[in-house]
CSV table of all heavy atoms in Angstrom, one decimal:
chain,number,residue,atom,x,y,z
X,330,VAL,N,94.3,114.2,117.3
X,330,VAL,CA,93.0,114.0,116.7
X,330,VAL,C,91.9,114.3,117.8
X,330,VAL,O,92.2,114.3,119.0
X,330,VAL,CB,92.8,112.5,116.2
X,330,VAL,CG1,93.8,112.2,115.2
X,330,VAL,CG2,92.8,111.5,117.4
X,331,ASP,N,90.7,114.5,117.4
X,331,ASP,CA,89.6,114.9,118.3
X,331,ASP,C,88.8,113.7,118.7
X,331,ASP,O,88.4,113.6,119.9
X,331,ASP,CB,88.6,115.8,117.6
X,331,ASP,CG,89.3,117.1,117.1
X,331,ASP,OD1,89.7,117.9,118.0
X,331,ASP,OD2,89.5,117.3,115.9
X,332,LEU,N,88.6,112.7,117.8
X,332,LEU,CA,87.8,111.5,118.1
X,332,LEU,C,88.4,110.3,117.6
X,332,LEU,O,89.2,110.4,116.6
X,332,LEU,CB,86.3,111.7,117.5
X,332,LEU,CG,85.5,112.8,118.0
X,332,LEU,CD1,84.2,112.9,117.1
X,332,LEU,CD2,85.1,112.7,119.5
X,333,MET,N,88.1,109.2,118.2
X,333,MET,CA,88.7,107.9,117.8
X,333,MET,C,87.6,106.9,117.7
X,333,MET,O,86.7,106.9,118.6
X,333,MET,CB,89.8,107.4,118.7
X,333,MET,CG,91.0,108.3,118.7
X,333,MET,SD,92.2,107.9,120.0
X,333,MET,CE,91.4,108.7,121.4
X,334,GLN,N,87.6,106.0,116.8
X,334,GLN,CA,86.7,104.9,116.7
X,334,GLN,C,87.4,103.6,116.3
X,334,GLN,O,88.4,103.6,115.6
X,334,GLN,CB,85.5,105.2,115.7
X,334,GLN,CG,86.0,105.2,114.3
X,334,GLN,CD,84.8,105.5,113.3
X,334,GLN,OE1,84.2,106.5,113.3
X,334,GLN,NE2,84.5,104.5,112.5
X,335,GLY,N,86.9,102.5,116.8
X,335,GLY,CA,87.5,101.2,116.4
X,335,GLY,C,87.2,100.2,117.5
X,335,GLY,O,86.7,100.5,118.5
X,336,TRP,N,87.6,99.0,117.2
X,336,TRP,CA,87.4,97.8,118.1
X,336,TRP,C,88.1,97.9,119.4
X,336,TRP,O,87.8,97.2,120.4
X,336,TRP,CB,87.7,96.5,117.4
X,336,TRP,CG,86.6,96.2,116.4
X,336,TRP,CD1,85.7,97.0,115.9
X,336,TRP,CD2,86.5,94.9,115.8
X,336,TRP,NE1,84.9,96.3,115.0
X,336,TRP,CE2,85.3,95.0,114.9
X,336,TRP,CE3,87.1,93.7,115.9
X,336,TRP,CZ2,84.9,93.9,114.2
X,336,TRP,CZ3,86.7,92.6,115.1
X,336,TRP,CH2,85.6,92.7,114.3
X,337,HIS,N,89.1,98.8,119.5
X,337,HIS,CA,89.8,99.0,120.8
X,337,HIS,C,88.8,99.6,121.8
X,337,HIS,O,88.9,99.3,123.0
X,337,HIS,CB,90.9,100.0,120.6
X,337,HIS,CG,91.7,100.3,121.9
X,337,HIS,ND1,92.3,99.3,122.6
X,337,HIS,CD2,91.8,101.5,122.6
X,337,HIS,CE1,92.8,99.9,123.7
X,337,HIS,NE2,92.6,101.2,123.7
X,338,TYR,N,87.8,100.3,121.3
X,338,TYR,CA,86.8,100.9,122.2
X,338,TYR,C,85.5,100.1,122.3
X,338,TYR,O,84.7,100.4,123.2
X,338,TYR,CB,86.5,102.3,121.8
X,338,TYR,CG,87.7,103.1,121.6
X,338,TYR,CD1,88.3,103.3,120.4
X,338,TYR,CD2,88.4,103.7,122.7
X,338,TYR,CE1,89.5,104.0,120.2
X,338,TYR,CE2,89.6,104.4,122.6
X,338,TYR,CZ,90.1,104.5,121.4
X,338,TYR,OH,91.3,105.2,121.2
X,339,GLY,N,85.3,99.2,121.5
X,339,GLY,CA,84.1,98.4,121.5
X,339,GLY,C,83.7,97.9,120.1
X,339,GLY,O,83.9,98.6,119.1
X,340,LYS,N,83.1,96.7,120.1
X,340,LYS,CA,82.6,96.1,118.8
X,340,LYS,C,81.2,96.6,118.6
X,340,LYS,O,80.5,97.0,119.5
X,340,LYS,CB,82.7,94.6,118.9
X,340,LYS,CG,84.2,94.1,118.9
X,340,LYS,CD,84.3,92.6,118.8
X,340,LYS,CE,85.7,92.2,118.8
X,340,LYS,NZ,85.9,90.7,118.7
X,341,PRO,N,80.7,96.5,117.3
X,341,PRO,CA,79.3,96.9,117.0
X,341,PRO,C,78.3,96.1,117.9
X,341,PRO,O,78.4,94.9,118.1
X,341,PRO,CB,79.2,96.5,115.5
X,341,PRO,CG,80.6,96.5,115.0
X,341,PRO,CD,81.4,96.0,116.1
X,342,ILE,N,77.3,96.9,118.4
X,342,ILE,CA,76.2,96.3,119.1
X,342,ILE,C,74.9,96.8,118.6
X,342,ILE,O,74.9,97.8,117.9
X,342,ILE,CB,76.4,96.6,120.7
X,342,ILE,CG1,76.4,98.1,120.9
X,342,ILE,CG2,77.6,96.0,121.3
X,342,ILE,CD1,76.4,98.5,122.3
X,343,SER,N,73.8,96.2,119.0
X,343,SER,CA,72.5,96.6,118.5
X,343,SER,C,72.1,97.8,119.3
X,343,SER,O,72.5,98.1,120.3
X,343,SER,CB,71.5,95.4,118.8
X,343,SER,OG,71.3,95.3,120.2
X,344,PRO,N,71.1,98.5,118.7
X,344,PRO,CA,70.5,99.7,119.4
X,344,PRO,C,70.0,99.3,120.8
X,344,PRO,O,70.2,100.1,121.7
X,344,PRO,CB,69.4,100.2,118.5
X,344,PRO,CG,69.9,99.7,117.1
X,344,PRO,CD,70.5,98.4,117.3
X,345,ALA,N,69.3,98.2,120.9
X,345,ALA,CA,68.8,97.8,122.2
X,345,ALA,C,69.9,97.6,123.2
X,345,ALA,O,69.8,97.9,124.4
X,345,ALA,CB,68.0,96.5,122.0
X,346,GLN,N,71.0,96.9,122.8
X,346,GLN,CA,72.1,96.7,123.7
X,346,GLN,C,72.7,98.0,124.1
X,346,GLN,O,73.1,98.2,125.3
X,346,GLN,CB,73.2,95.8,123.0
X,346,GLN,CG,72.8,94.4,122.8
X,346,GLN,CD,73.8,93.6,122.0
X,346,GLN,OE1,74.3,94.2,121.0
X,346,GLN,NE2,74.1,92.4,122.4
X,347,TYR,N,72.8,99.0,123.2
X,347,TYR,CA,73.4,100.3,123.6
X,347,TYR,C,72.6,101.0,124.6
X,347,TYR,O,73.1,101.5,125.6
X,347,TYR,CB,73.6,101.1,122.3
X,347,TYR,CG,74.1,102.5,122.6
X,347,TYR,CD1,75.5,102.7,122.7
X,347,TYR,CD2,73.3,103.6,122.8
X,347,TYR,CE1,76.0,104.0,123.0
X,347,TYR,CE2,73.8,104.9,123.1
X,347,TYR,CZ,75.2,105.0,123.2
X,347,TYR,OH,75.6,106.3,123.5
X,348,LEU,N,71.3,101.0,124.3
X,348,LEU,CA,70.4,101.7,125.2
X,348,LEU,C,70.4,101.1,126.6
X,348,LEU,O,70.3,101.7,127.7
X,348,LEU,CB,68.9,101.8,124.7
X,348,LEU,CG,68.8,102.7,123.4
X,348,LEU,CD1,67.4,102.5,122.8
X,348,LEU,CD2,69.0,104.1,123.8
X,349,ALA,N,70.5,99.7,126.6
X,349,ALA,CA,70.5,99.0,127.9
X,349,ALA,C,71.8,99.4,128.7
X,349,ALA,O,71.8,99.6,129.9
X,349,ALA,CB,70.4,97.5,127.7
X,350,GLN,N,72.9,99.5,128.0
X,350,GLN,CA,74.2,99.8,128.6
X,350,GLN,C,74.2,101.2,129.2
X,350,GLN,O,74.6,101.5,130.3
X,350,GLN,CB,75.3,99.7,127.6
X,350,GLN,CG,75.7,98.2,127.3
X,350,GLN,CD,76.9,98.1,126.4
X,350,GLN,OE1,77.5,99.1,126.1
X,350,GLN,NE2,77.1,96.9,125.9
X,351,THR,N,73.7,102.2,128.4
X,351,THR,CA,73.7,103.6,128.8
X,351,THR,C,72.7,103.9,129.9
X,351,THR,O,72.8,104.8,130.7
X,351,THR,CB,73.4,104.5,127.6
X,351,THR,OG1,72.2,104.1,127.0
X,351,THR,CG2,74.5,104.4,126.6
X,352,SER,N,71.6,103.0,130.0
X,352,SER,CA,70.6,103.2,131.0
X,352,SER,C,71.0,102.5,132.3
X,352,SER,O,70.3,102.6,133.3
X,352,SER,CB,69.2,102.8,130.5
X,352,SER,OG,69.2,101.4,130.3
Side-chain angles (χ1 to χ4, degrees):
V330 303
D331 301 289
L332 299 171
M333 294 170 282
Q334 70 178 66
W336 283 15
H337 178 62
Y338 306 100
K340 295 186 177 181
I342 59 176
S343 69
Q346 289 173 319
Y347 178 84
L348 290 171
Q350 289 182 7
T351 55
S352 64

